[in-house]
């Protein structure tokens, strides 16, 4: 005899008791159990139960209006709320600012990994994320409301270093979401765009002796699903509720698009280009900082446009865009579809994504900002009387090699026109964003200096860079007066160094045409002249040439470098993992032959593969060129040294 775990939403919500700690999944609309939120709200309005709950959610399960957990924003319902992001749940945020409960805001990466700590009965989450920001207990400790007096994070010393520590506590119940459940409670997510932190939450509640309730679209019979498709095993699920379709959208902007859940792939060539406005200007300027094969995170707001511009410029395929709830690859979307990507390559869990982020896996991030001070500290979590919350901002900005902050120079009524290759300020914003003191510190520039991060602040009219702990003006848009349009609207005087004009291509209606120079960026890192050994070193490790343009670019960069040296040079070439399309092999050899005869004094190549060495040696000899192919770098270097002695 099998237990059927499928019950109604009303029955499920009646299980939640007063005073429980309740976790609710969701990133905007993705993974948000909206029908369960409807049922929970209705129960509270009828019976004033459950009440005095502790609510925890790692990100923002809402639509910035009335859906998701905005539905359960009722007076008396909560004793405490620990949120990763209030901006998408403004009705909860409004109660927090009214001091209706103890309100906290902590980094999303801490909270999503908190569930794993609870599940494993670890003491808590230990991290450097949040030190020096408002999450640091020596500053605010993430406290949002006056009732929040208890420190739920502390600074501890371990191994001679400071760490932020959030102590574990039991989870009584979680509300999560999937696509299909069988009657045993096994959950698959084939039509979901994300898995978010559903598995970690289920484990946390189950190992706390709590209750796991899952909203799904449909129910299957036992043994109907492939085991590899199950994301949350039935042993971790207590009850299943079948949702009404209108409360089970893929995102809060889309009922269902198969290309968002990996069911099929669609061409991106017909994507509508963005209008030329301040949003596109900033996204274009950000694209000039991108490098081939960068792994990139895009934040909410203005940064969402960066992927769209990359697609317009035909460079998206050379980049890996990611979004913090777990998307890897594809073209991320914005608005109420934020968190989704068209043609994504992979989806991992949100705790796993933040492990990757926190460990420095990102090359670059584009994030929004609300305020910035003279030291380059940024506030992106509190806007005057409104609390947005930090979301994943602190995790991402603190641990990424290159950080681009995107935002308009002022706000509150700002109107901008891009005309004739220039920027015109039609109406200045009423609110300054470059201020003496930020309302909160969400990005601490002191840590950026210590980690040698490269940090830019990109606006529609100018670009700043963090240099030696100071905000430094480095670029100004054509049509903008530094004194009248920039300095007059700042509370402090930035460092003004060698100020360049922003690239004129940013302000044209046609695409910038950066594809060619973009590819050259990566090749230039592979061609270096080392003066100490008087050797030109070409690192072709893992390089694959697929087009004639690739071949021409190599020849161009090598020739330019040799001309800069001003004499013939010894050349050392790493051919490990090097591949040339068969149709391009002769063109590549001819290019190499011309370079060798004009610029090289002596040459040595190395590759560990016997067959590859034999192939290249035969081709070199056929062209009356020295083969000089060695099995190791050390052998190649010895050969060059003999010729120099």
């Amino acid at each position: 005899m099998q237990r059927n775990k499928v019950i109604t939403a009303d029955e499920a919500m009646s299980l939640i008791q007063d005073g429980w700690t309740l976790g609710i999944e969701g990133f905007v609309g993705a993974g948000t159990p909206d029908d369960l939120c409807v049922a929970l709200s209705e129960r509270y309005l009828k019976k004033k139960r459950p009440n005095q709950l502790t609510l925890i959610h790692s990100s923002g399960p809402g639509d910035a209006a009335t859906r998701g957990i905005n539905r359960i924003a009722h007076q008396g319902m909560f004793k405490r709320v620990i949120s990763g992001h209030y901006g998408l749940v403004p009705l909860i945020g409004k109660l927090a600012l009214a001091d209706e409960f103890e309100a906290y805001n902590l980094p999303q990466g801490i909270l999503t990994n908190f569930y794993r700590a609870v599940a494993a009965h670890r003491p808590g989450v230990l991290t450097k994320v949040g030190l020096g920001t408002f999450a640091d207990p020596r500053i605010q400790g993430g406290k949002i409301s006056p009732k929040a007096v208890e420190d739920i994070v502390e600074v501890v010393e371990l191994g001679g270093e400071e760490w932020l520590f959030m102590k574990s506590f039991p989870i009584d119940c979680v509300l999560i979401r999937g696509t299909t459940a069988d009657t045993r409670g096994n959950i698959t997510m084939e039509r979901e765009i994300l898995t978010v932190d559903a598995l970690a939450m289920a484990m946390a509640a189950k190992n706390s002796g709590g209750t796991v309730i899952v909203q799904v679209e449909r129910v299957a019979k036992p043994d109907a699903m492939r085991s590899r498709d199950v994301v949350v095993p039935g042993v971790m699920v207590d009850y299943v509720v079948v949702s009404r379709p209108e409360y089970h959208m893929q995102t809060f902007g889309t009922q269902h698009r198969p290309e968002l859940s990996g069911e099929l792939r669609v061409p991106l060539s017909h994507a509508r280009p963005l209008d030329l406005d301040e949003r596109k200007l900033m996204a274009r300027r950000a694209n000039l900082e991108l490098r081939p094969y960068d792994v990139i995170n895009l934040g909410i707001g203005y940064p969402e446009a960066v992927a769209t511009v990359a697609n317009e410029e035909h460079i998206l395929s050379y980049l890996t865009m990611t979004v913090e709830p777990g998307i890897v690859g594809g073209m991320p979307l914005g608005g109420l579809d934020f968190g989704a990507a068209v043609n994504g390559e992979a989806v991992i869990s949100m705790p796993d994504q933040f492990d990757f982020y926190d460990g420095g896996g990102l090359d670059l991030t584009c994030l929004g900002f609300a305020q910035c001070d003279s030291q380059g500290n940024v506030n992106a979590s509190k806007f005057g009387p409104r609390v947005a919350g930090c979301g994943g901002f602190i995790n991402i900005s603190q641990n990424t090699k290159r950080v681009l902050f995107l935002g308009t120079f002022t706000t509150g009524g700002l109107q901008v026109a891009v005309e004739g290759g220039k920027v015109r300020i039609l109406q200045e914003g009423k609110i300054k964003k470059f201020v003496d003191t930020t309302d909160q510190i969400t990005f601490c520039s002191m840590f950026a200096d210590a980690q040698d991060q490269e940090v830019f602040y990109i606006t529609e009219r100018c670009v700043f860079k963090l240099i030696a702990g100071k905000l430094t003006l480095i670029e100004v848009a054509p049509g903008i007066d530094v004194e009248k349009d920039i300095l007059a609207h700042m509370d402090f005087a930035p460092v003004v160094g060698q100020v360049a004009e922003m690239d004129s291509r940013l302000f044209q209606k046609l695409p910038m045409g950066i594809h060619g120079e973009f590819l050259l960026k990566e090749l230039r890192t592979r061609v270096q002249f080392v003066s100490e050994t008087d050797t030109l070193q070409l690192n072709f490790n893992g390089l694959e040439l697929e087009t004639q343009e690739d071949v021409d670019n190599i020849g161009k960069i090598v020739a330019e470098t040799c001309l800069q040296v001003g004499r013939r040079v010894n050349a050392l070439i790493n051919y490990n993992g090097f591949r040339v399309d068969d149709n391009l092999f002769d063109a590549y050899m001819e290019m190499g032959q011309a370079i060798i005869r004009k610029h090289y004094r002596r040459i040595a190549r190395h590759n560990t593969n016997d067959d590859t060495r034999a192939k290249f040696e035969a081709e070199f000899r056929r062209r009356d060129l020295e083969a000089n192919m060695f099995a190791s770098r050390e052998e190649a270097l010895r050969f060059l040294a003999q010729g120099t002695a």
Side-chain angles (χ1 to χ4, degrees):
M1 184 168 58
Q2 296 290 335
R3 175 190 166 199
N4 188 342
K5 297 184 177 183
V6 181
I7 61 176
T8 68
D10 289 340
E11 290 171 333
M13 294 306 97
S14 70
L15 299 169
I16 301 174
Q17 303 299 304
D18 296 346
W20 272 14
T21 295
L22 174 67
I24 299 182
E25 184 200 9
F27 185 91
V28 198
T32 299
D34 201 29
D35 213 359
L36 296 183
C37 292
V38 171
L40 184 58
S41 174
E42 290 174 349
R43 176 171 173 78
Y44 183 80
L45 291 175
K46 288 177 183 176
K47 301 191 175 183
K48 296 300 179 186
R49 298 189 66 189
N51 57 54
Q52 293 299 296
L53 298 173
T54 292
L55 173 66
I56 181 169
H57 56 96
S58 60
S59 44
D63 65 345
T66 59
R67 290 181 286 181
I69 67 170
N70 290 293
R71 300 184 190 278
I72 57 174
H74 302 308
Q75 289 183 325
M77 192 169 188
F78 303 109
K79 173 188 176 184
R80 171 179 288 184
V81 173
I82 304 170
S83 169
H85 194 271
Y86 284 96
L88 290 161
V89 291
L91 300 186
I92 296 288
K94 185 177 180 180
L95 293 178
L97 292 177
D99 203 26
E100 289 290 335
F101 47 73
E102 304 165 20
Y104 295 86
N105 174 218
L106 292 176
Q108 185 176 336
I110 292 180
L111 294 181
T112 195
N113 276 294
F114 171 80
Y115 295 125
R116 296 206 297 200
V118 174
H121 288 188
R122 290 193 290 268
V125 178
L126 194 68
T127 179
K128 286 190 175 294
V129 172
L131 290 172
T133 73
F134 78 94
D136 190 318
R138 295 165 296 192
I139 301 176
Q140 289 176 261
K143 302 182 185 75
I144 298 301
S145 66
K147 282 184 178 177
V149 294
E150 180 185 351
D151 284 329
I152 63 171
V153 290
E154 58 183 299
V155 175
V156 299
E157 187 172 308
L158 184 65
E161 297 183 56
E162 286 188 343
W163 300 79
L164 204 64
F165 177 67
M166 180 181 181
K167 186 178 180 181
S168 293
F169 51 79
I171 306 290
D172 297 303
C173 180
V174 294
L175 309 182
I176 62 176
R177 190 177 107 171
T179 299
T180 308
D182 64 17
T183 53
R184 294 175 182 167
N186 293 301
I187 308 297
T188 61
M189 299 192 178
E190 61 272 17
R191 284 164 58 93
E192 308 297 318
I193 66 167
L194 299 166
T195 63
V196 201
D197 37 20
L199 178 60
M201 294 177 72
M203 288 193 292
K206 182 55 67 175
N207 287 353
S208 296
T211 303
V212 178
I213 303 170
V214 188
Q215 172 182 311
V216 297
E217 286 188 45
R218 56 201 181 191
V219 174
K221 65 180 182 179
D223 304 319
M225 301 186 296
R226 296 193 314 164
S227 60
R228 296 295 290 267
D229 293 337
V230 173
V231 177
V232 182
V235 294
M236 300 178 189
V237 173
D238 294 293
Y239 300 101
V240 170
V241 174
V242 178
S243 175
R244 292 166 288 181
E246 63 269 31
Y247 299 115
H248 200 105
M249 300 172 69
Q250 267 188 329
T251 74
F252 280 135
T254 299
Q255 185 67 43
H256 179 252
R257 286 173 59 184
E259 66 269 29
L260 303 188
S261 47
E263 298 167 73
L264 56 80
R265 302 178 77 81
V266 298
L268 295 176
S269 56
H270 301 301
R272 181 182 177 275
L274 297 173
D275 294 332
L276 184 56
D277 56 13
E278 62 270 26
R279 180 168 175 251
K280 186 167 187 173
L281 288 185
M282 290 184 279
R284 279 181 159 182
R285 179 60 186 83
N287 266 260
L288 297 184
E289 296 300 324
L290 308 185
R291 301 171 188 169
Y293 314 117
D294 272 349
V295 180
I296 299 167
N297 164 270
L298 298 180
I300 198 167
Y302 288 117
E304 297 167 3
V306 172
T308 308
V309 169
N311 186 52
E312 290 178 24
E313 298 292 338
H314 306 294
I315 64 174
L316 184 63
S317 62
Y318 299 96
L319 304 165
T320 300
M321 299 289 181
T322 71
V323 190
E324 60 264 32
I327 288 290
V328 179
M331 187 174 77
L333 301 181
L336 292 177
D337 291 325
F338 184 61
V342 177
N343 299 347
E345 294 178 25
V347 176
I348 62 176
S349 75
M350 189 157 69
D352 287 334
Q353 187 84 303
F354 273 100
D355 281 348
F356 178 66
Y357 284 5
D358 288 352
L362 289 170
D363 296 302
L364 180 141
T365 183
C366 299
L367 300 167
F369 74 96
Q371 292 176 319
C372 178
D373 67 18
S374 61
Q375 282 75 47
N377 294 311
V378 166
N379 166 30
S381 48
K382 187 176 188 298
F383 316 142
R386 186 166 71 89
V387 175
C390 57
F393 189 101
I394 299 177
N395 295 84
I396 296 162
S397 64
Q398 190 172 313
N399 294 298
T400 304
K401 302 172 185 73
R402 290 154 29 231
V403 181
L404 311 182
F405 293 115
L406 278 63
T408 55
F409 192 79
T410 61
T411 190
L414 174 67
Q415 295 180 22
V416 175
V418 184
E419 301 170 340
K422 296 181 179 181
V423 173
R424 283 203 308 128
I425 309 302
L426 304 178
Q427 178 176 296
E428 191 60 80
K430 298 174 184 176
I431 302 172
K432 293 180 180 179
K433 296 176 69 172
F434 291 88
V435 295
D436 285 325
T437 305
T438 58
D439 292 345
Q440 282 188 334
I441 296 177
T442 329
F443 169 75
C444 179
S445 64
M446 178 180 65
F447 282 89
D449 275 346
Q451 298 182 101
D452 293 324
Q453 285 177 296
E454 193 173 19
V455 185
F456 290 87
Y457 308 76
I458 298 172
T459 77
E460 81 288 350
R461 67 187 74 176
C462 62
V463 179
F464 297 95
K465 186 176 182 180
L466 186 64
I467 301 175
K470 296 292 182 182
L471 199 71
T472 304
L473 181 65
I474 61 168
E475 294 177 22
V476 175
I480 293 297
D481 182 275
V482 173
E483 290 292 337
K484 178 172 70 76
D485 298 320
I486 297 176
L487 300 182
H489 303 285
M490 301 178 72
D491 283 350
F492 59 88
V495 176
V496 180
Q498 291 290 108
V499 180
E501 187 170 84
M502 294 173 73
D503 194 313
S504 61
R505 294 172 298 177
L506 302 175
F507 311 97
Q508 66 187 29
K509 290 189 176 181
L510 294 174
M512 294 186 291
I514 63 174
H515 178 266
E517 67 187 68
F518 174 80
L519 296 181
L520 286 174
K521 287 181 182 180
E522 200 268 341
L523 288 177
R524 285 196 171 96
T525 66
R526 293 175 175 269
V527 179
Q528 302 289 331
F529 178 72
V530 181
S531 56
E532 291 81 6
T533 59
D534 197 34
T535 304
L536 181 70
Q537 297 191 1
L538 310 183
N539 178 18
F540 291 169
N541 187 10
L543 184 64
E544 185 167 353
L545 306 186
E546 299 175 310
T547 67
Q548 183 63 48
E549 184 182 21
D550 294 340
V551 174
D552 294 341
N553 283 338
I554 287 181
K556 177 181 177 181
I557 292 172
V558 173
E560 285 178 355
T561 307
C562 291
L563 288 171
Q564 288 170 2
V565 175
R567 63 180 183 279
R568 287 182 175 272
V569 297
N570 285 338
L572 175 70
I573 307 179
N574 178 355
Y575 271 125
N576 284 316
F578 179 69
R579 298 285 185 275
V580 183
D581 186 279
D582 289 341
N583 296 323
L584 295 169
F585 196 83
D586 285 340
Y588 173 75
M589 295 302 294
E590 288 167 11
M591 176 274 293
Q593 183 175 354
I595 293 288
I596 291 168
R597 289 178 171 162
K598 187 173 182 179
H599 296 292
Y600 293 167
R601 184 169 63 239
R602 207 164 196 222
I603 184 170
R605 311 168 183 88
H606 60 95
N607 184 290
T608 56
N609 185 278
D610 294 340
D611 292 338
T612 302
R613 288 201 310 276
K615 177 181 178 180
F616 274 98
E617 283 174 348
E619 290 293 336
F620 289 132
R621 291 193 181 106
R622 189 164 69 86
R623 289 170 170 79
D624 295 324
L625 297 171
E626 293 182 75
N628 303 342
M629 287 288 291
F630 300 94
S632 70
R633 174 183 169 85
E634 291 71 27
E635 289 178 77
L637 284 171
R638 281 197 296 270
F639 173 81
L640 290 178
Q642 289 167 5
T644 320

